Amino acid sequence: MAENSTWKTLPADRGSLETLSASGLDYRVIDTADAAAFDPYLQAEMRGFLSGEQSDEQLAGMREGLAFRRFIGVYDAGSLERAQPVGTVNSWVTDVTLPGGRGIPMWAISGVTVAPTHRRKGIARAMLEGELRTAAAGGIAIAGLTVSEATIYGRFGFAPSTFATDWSIDTRRALWIGPRPDGRLDFMSREAARDELAALHDRVRQARPGEIQAWPGLWRRMTGLAPGQEGGKKLRAVRYADADGVTRGAVVYSIGEERDDFSKHELTISILLSETPDAYAALWRFVLEHDLVSVVKASLLSVDEPLRWMIADQRAATLRTSEHGWLRIIDVPAVLAARTYATDGDFVLRVTDPLGLAEGTWRLTIDDAGTGRATAAGGEPDATFSAGALAAIVLGGVRAETLRTAGLVTGDPHSVATLDRSFAAAQTPHLGLWY
Ligand SMILES: CC(C)(COP(=O)(O)OP(=O)(O)OC[C@H]1O[C@@H](n2cnc3c(N)ncnc32)[C@H](O)[C@@H]1OP(=O)(O)O)[C@@H](O)C(=O)NCCC(=O)NCCS
């Protein structure tokens, strides 16, 4: 979490407040220290995501785990349950890693729900525009989210900048041909796993464009230790330690029972983190060679997993790819200056943005071993992007030429190809978490 949390106390956006107030709705920041306001809020958010009513124990756990965030609710005074908002959104400032390994503060948005009784009246639009204006007012250059409904966010200038794959592996067919490292594997308690994962993730995410800094309550949930969380006891945790006994990777998984054939259990990975190639190989080999397991499932893997090259039959794995990490650029010069580039260059980029936040023409000059500087400029652009198209390419995982072919970027093909050479990231961008 960004150290300075002045963002938490930023007031409700005036524009959204006025828009919603014109429809008789009240838009306000929630006091997370006030359980009488926060509990009904959390119930409304969970209902929005189609969950059942939360127990007191679950609410207490959520209050403790999430209170660090900034929560905004939209209230309808005419509702029978007036304490429950009809619209919810929460946000916080965290780091996202850019190519070159530098993290910049990102306005993370989560928990966007509108009660089905109040849908399609513009509540989500008012909340999302309010978030972006508030982030801009707080001096945050980029916003991000992960989505359960992918069709909504493009209209607000967000675009996918990382993609993820879900894997289902037939272990009998896969056959391990990867390295067999010397380090050791050991089971650990879920409490130990919670702490090891937090430390590992904080190292791993800084080396990978697209990853974000996690929040403390996440590891409690990942290990099934959140109050009232169901299914936690099914989780197992194993760590890999190198020759010096230092933890270099960990996996948390569960095994679903197959009653008809005890040799055909399914192992589902909740998370696998590794900071060395040895840890990666040892943990994947461990799950793929697990006795009595015939299927291994994992989600949110990279689109460029080394695992593909560690199994004899790549067709043993069925992959499904989808967009995952969505970004929204708010301050173009700040974001372009924060990443590094593969080649020197000099480009004039025009950015269009119906919300006005990223709108402008910018000269990007890259020199001094890949450092970029962007300043407002005039003249003919080499390429024109929507705010979303620029967000798609900023991590280096999507090529501007691809978007040009798709009709989302205009510009001279030679300039766009040169731009792609500069923007290419040394590592495939990846985001391994939902938030
Ligand atoms: C998705 C949800 C937040 C939309 O709220 P809403 O208040 O009905 O949305 P709005 O009326 O403000 O609509 C905003 C825009 O998004 C569009 N939109 C809204 N929901 C959409 C959907 N499910 N699919 C496609 N477009 C959608 C609207 O048509 C509107 O477009 P426009 O302003 O360009 O004309 C709400 O339906 C909901 O809570 N769904 C369940 C939880 C969920 O999916 N949350 C999103 C998590 S990523």
Side-chain angles (χ1 to χ4, degrees), residues 397-414:
V398 175
R399 291 195 301 138
E401 175 55 22
T402 307
L403 300 187
R404 197 181 73 82
T405 306
L408 298 171
V409 168
T410 55
D412 159 57
H414 176 71

PDB file of all heavy atoms in Angstrom, residues 397-414:
ATOM      1  N   GLY A 397       2.838  -5.461 -23.587  1.00  0.00           N
ATOM      2  CA  GLY A 397       2.337  -6.799 -23.918  1.00  0.00           C
ATOM      3  C   GLY A 397       1.410  -6.823 -25.123  1.00  0.00           C
ATOM      4  O   GLY A 397       1.082  -7.885 -25.641  1.00  0.00           O
ATOM      5  N   VAL A 398       0.974  -5.657 -25.563  1.00  0.00           N
ATOM      6  CA  VAL A 398       0.099  -5.549 -26.746  1.00  0.00           C
ATOM      7  C   VAL A 398       0.805  -4.617 -27.712  1.00  0.00           C
ATOM      8  O   VAL A 398       1.348  -3.587 -27.299  1.00  0.00           O
ATOM      9  CB  VAL A 398      -1.276  -4.952 -26.357  1.00  0.00           C
ATOM     10  CG1 VAL A 398      -2.149  -4.714 -27.582  1.00  0.00           C
ATOM     11  CG2 VAL A 398      -1.989  -5.840 -25.346  1.00  0.00           C
ATOM     12  N   ARG A 399       0.816  -4.972 -28.996  1.00  0.00           N
ATOM     13  CA  ARG A 399       1.522  -4.131 -29.952  1.00  0.00           C
ATOM     14  C   ARG A 399       0.578  -3.102 -30.573  1.00  0.00           C
ATOM     15  O   ARG A 399      -0.578  -3.402 -30.894  1.00  0.00           O
ATOM     16  CB  ARG A 399       2.161  -4.999 -31.031  1.00  0.00           C
ATOM     17  CG  ARG A 399       3.314  -5.821 -30.439  1.00  0.00           C
ATOM     18  CD  ARG A 399       4.207  -6.420 -31.470  1.00  0.00           C
ATOM     19  NE  ARG A 399       3.469  -7.291 -32.357  1.00  0.00           N
ATOM     20  CZ  ARG A 399       3.639  -7.334 -33.674  1.00  0.00           C
ATOM     21  NH1 ARG A 399       4.521  -6.545 -34.252  1.00  0.00           N
ATOM     22  NH2 ARG A 399       2.943  -8.155 -34.398  1.00  0.00           N
ATOM     23  N   ALA A 400       1.085  -1.893 -30.732  1.00  0.00           N
ATOM     24  CA  ALA A 400       0.283  -0.828 -31.357  1.00  0.00           C
ATOM     25  C   ALA A 400      -0.123  -1.250 -32.767  1.00  0.00           C
ATOM     26  O   ALA A 400      -1.211  -0.905 -33.235  1.00  0.00           O
ATOM     27  CB  ALA A 400       1.084   0.469 -31.390  1.00  0.00           C
ATOM     28  N   GLU A 401       0.758  -2.002 -33.456  1.00  0.00           N
ATOM     29  CA  GLU A 401       0.441  -2.436 -34.817  1.00  0.00           C
ATOM     30  C   GLU A 401      -0.811  -3.328 -34.813  1.00  0.00           C
ATOM     31  O   GLU A 401      -1.644  -3.259 -35.714  1.00  0.00           O
ATOM     32  CB  GLU A 401       1.648  -3.166 -35.425  1.00  0.00           C
ATOM     33  CG  GLU A 401       1.409  -3.776 -36.794  1.00  0.00           C
ATOM     34  CD  GLU A 401       0.885  -2.786 -37.851  1.00  0.00           C
ATOM     35  OE1 GLU A 401       1.067  -1.569 -37.704  1.00  0.00           O
ATOM     36  OE2 GLU A 401       0.266  -3.256 -38.829  1.00  0.00           O
ATOM     37  N   THR A 402      -0.942  -4.171 -33.783  1.00  0.00           N
ATOM     38  CA  THR A 402      -2.134  -5.025 -33.674  1.00  0.00           C
ATOM     39  C   THR A 402      -3.381  -4.146 -33.550  1.00  0.00           C
ATOM     40  O   THR A 402      -4.406  -4.399 -34.193  1.00  0.00           O
ATOM     41  CB  THR A 402      -2.005  -5.945 -32.438  1.00  0.00           C
ATOM     42  OG1 THR A 402      -0.770  -6.637 -32.526  1.00  0.00           O
ATOM     43  CG2 THR A 402      -3.161  -6.918 -32.332  1.00  0.00           C
ATOM     44  N   LEU A 403      -3.271  -3.105 -32.727  1.00  0.00           N
ATOM     45  CA  LEU A 403      -4.425  -2.214 -32.524  1.00  0.00           C
ATOM     46  C   LEU A 403      -4.684  -1.368 -33.780  1.00  0.00           C
ATOM     47  O   LEU A 403      -5.828  -1.014 -34.067  1.00  0.00           O
ATOM     48  CB  LEU A 403      -4.190  -1.316 -31.308  1.00  0.00           C
ATOM     49  CG  LEU A 403      -3.970  -2.045 -29.972  1.00  0.00           C
ATOM     50  CD1 LEU A 403      -3.919  -1.041 -28.825  1.00  0.00           C
ATOM     51  CD2 LEU A 403      -5.082  -3.061 -29.709  1.00  0.00           C
ATOM     52  N   ARG A 404      -3.615  -1.077 -34.524  1.00  0.00           N
ATOM     53  CA  ARG A 404      -3.805  -0.333 -35.782  1.00  0.00           C
ATOM     54  C   ARG A 404      -4.606  -1.201 -36.763  1.00  0.00           C
ATOM     55  O   ARG A 404      -5.562  -0.745 -37.378  1.00  0.00           O
ATOM     56  CB  ARG A 404      -2.445   0.051 -36.383  1.00  0.00           C
ATOM     57  CG  ARG A 404      -2.523   1.166 -37.435  1.00  0.00           C
ATOM     58  CD  ARG A 404      -1.151   1.479 -37.996  1.00  0.00           C
ATOM     59  NE  ARG A 404      -0.711   0.420 -38.887  1.00  0.00           N
ATOM     60  CZ  ARG A 404      -1.059   0.302 -40.168  1.00  0.00           C
ATOM     61  NH1 ARG A 404      -1.840   1.212 -40.733  1.00  0.00           N
ATOM     62  NH2 ARG A 404      -0.620  -0.700 -40.901  1.00  0.00           N
ATOM     63  N   THR A 405      -4.240  -2.481 -36.841  1.00  0.00           N
ATOM     64  CA  THR A 405      -4.975  -3.392 -37.720  1.00  0.00           C
ATOM     65  C   THR A 405      -6.427  -3.521 -37.266  1.00  0.00           C
ATOM     66  O   THR A 405      -7.340  -3.655 -38.074  1.00  0.00           O
ATOM     67  CB  THR A 405      -4.297  -4.786 -37.720  1.00  0.00           C
ATOM     68  OG1 THR A 405      -2.925  -4.612 -38.042  1.00  0.00           O
ATOM     69  CG2 THR A 405      -4.955  -5.728 -38.711  1.00  0.00           C
ATOM     70  N   ALA A 406      -6.627  -3.455 -35.944  1.00  0.00           N
ATOM     71  CA  ALA A 406      -7.991  -3.577 -35.396  1.00  0.00           C
ATOM     72  C   ALA A 406      -8.772  -2.274 -35.514  1.00  0.00           C
ATOM     73  O   ALA A 406      -9.933  -2.203 -35.099  1.00  0.00           O
ATOM     74  CB  ALA A 406      -7.918  -4.013 -33.936  1.00  0.00           C
ATOM     75  N   GLY A 407      -8.116  -1.234 -36.056  1.00  0.00           N
ATOM     76  CA  GLY A 407      -8.819   0.041 -36.252  1.00  0.00           C
ATOM     77  C   GLY A 407      -8.867   0.902 -35.000  1.00  0.00           C
ATOM     78  O   GLY A 407      -9.629   1.861 -34.935  1.00  0.00           O
ATOM     79  N   LEU A 408      -8.032   0.579 -34.002  1.00  0.00           N
ATOM     80  CA  LEU A 408      -8.079   1.326 -32.739  1.00  0.00           C
ATOM     81  C   LEU A 408      -6.972   2.364 -32.606  1.00  0.00           C
ATOM     82  O   LEU A 408      -6.990   3.186 -31.691  1.00  0.00           O
ATOM     83  CB  LEU A 408      -8.006   0.349 -31.558  1.00  0.00           C
ATOM     84  CG  LEU A 408      -9.170  -0.646 -31.483  1.00  0.00           C
ATOM     85  CD1 LEU A 408      -8.911  -1.700 -30.417  1.00  0.00           C
ATOM     86  CD2 LEU A 408     -10.473   0.091 -31.190  1.00  0.00           C
ATOM     87  N   VAL A 409      -5.982   2.271 -33.499  1.00  0.00           N
ATOM     88  CA  VAL A 409      -4.890   3.240 -33.515  1.00  0.00           C
ATOM     89  C   VAL A 409      -4.755   3.702 -34.954  1.00  0.00           C
ATOM     90  O   VAL A 409      -4.860   2.877 -35.873  1.00  0.00           O
ATOM     91  CB  VAL A 409      -3.570   2.566 -33.046  1.00  0.00           C
ATOM     92  CG1 VAL A 409      -2.356   3.446 -33.313  1.00  0.00           C
ATOM     93  CG2 VAL A 409      -3.647   2.206 -31.559  1.00  0.00           C
ATOM     94  N   THR A 410      -4.542   4.997 -35.154  1.00  0.00           N
ATOM     95  CA  THR A 410      -4.259   5.450 -36.517  1.00  0.00           C
ATOM     96  C   THR A 410      -2.847   6.013 -36.543  1.00  0.00           C
ATOM     97  O   THR A 410      -2.348   6.509 -35.527  1.00  0.00           O
ATOM     98  CB  THR A 410      -5.254   6.528 -36.986  1.00  0.00           C
ATOM     99  OG1 THR A 410      -5.239   7.593 -36.034  1.00  0.00           O
ATOM    100  CG2 THR A 410      -6.653   5.985 -37.125  1.00  0.00           C
ATOM    101  N   GLY A 411      -2.220   5.914 -37.699  1.00  0.00           N
ATOM    102  CA  GLY A 411      -0.874   6.462 -37.823  1.00  0.00           C
ATOM    103  C   GLY A 411      -0.123   5.784 -38.939  1.00  0.00           C
ATOM    104  O   GLY A 411      -0.548   4.761 -39.468  1.00  0.00           O
ATOM    105  N   ASP A 412       0.993   6.395 -39.243  1.00  0.00           N
ATOM    106  CA  ASP A 412       1.851   5.875 -40.301  1.00  0.00           C
ATOM    107  C   ASP A 412       2.429   4.517 -39.858  1.00  0.00           C
ATOM    108  O   ASP A 412       2.964   4.408 -38.749  1.00  0.00           O
ATOM    109  CB  ASP A 412       2.938   6.941 -40.523  1.00  0.00           C
ATOM    110  CG  ASP A 412       4.146   6.363 -41.181  1.00  0.00           C
ATOM    111  OD1 ASP A 412       3.994   5.795 -42.258  1.00  0.00           O
ATOM    112  OD2 ASP A 412       5.240   6.475 -40.589  1.00  0.00           O
ATOM    113  N   PRO A 413       2.307   3.467 -40.691  1.00  0.00           N
ATOM    114  CA  PRO A 413       2.737   2.127 -40.272  1.00  0.00           C
ATOM    115  C   PRO A 413       4.200   2.073 -39.837  1.00  0.00           C
ATOM    116  O   PRO A 413       4.536   1.368 -38.879  1.00  0.00           O
ATOM    117  CB  PRO A 413       2.521   1.268 -41.530  1.00  0.00           C
ATOM    118  CG  PRO A 413       1.594   2.035 -42.389  1.00  0.00           C
ATOM    119  CD  PRO A 413       1.707   3.481 -42.029  1.00  0.00           C
ATOM    120  N   HIS A 414       5.061   2.849 -40.489  1.00  0.00           N
ATOM    121  CA  HIS A 414       6.479   2.815 -40.126  1.00  0.00           C
ATOM    122  C   HIS A 414       6.667   3.366 -38.706  1.00  0.00           C
ATOM    123  O   HIS A 414       7.373   2.781 -37.879  1.00  0.00           O
ATOM    124  CB  HIS A 414       7.294   3.609 -41.142  1.00  0.00           C
ATOM    125  CG  HIS A 414       8.737   3.696 -40.775  1.00  0.00           C
ATOM    126  ND1 HIS A 414       9.575   2.610 -40.852  1.00  0.00           N
ATOM    127  CD2 HIS A 414       9.477   4.729 -40.272  1.00  0.00           C
ATOM    128  CE1 HIS A 414      10.786   2.965 -40.431  1.00  0.00           C
ATOM    129  NE2 HIS A 414      10.745   4.236 -40.076  1.00  0.00           N
TER     130      HIS A 414
END
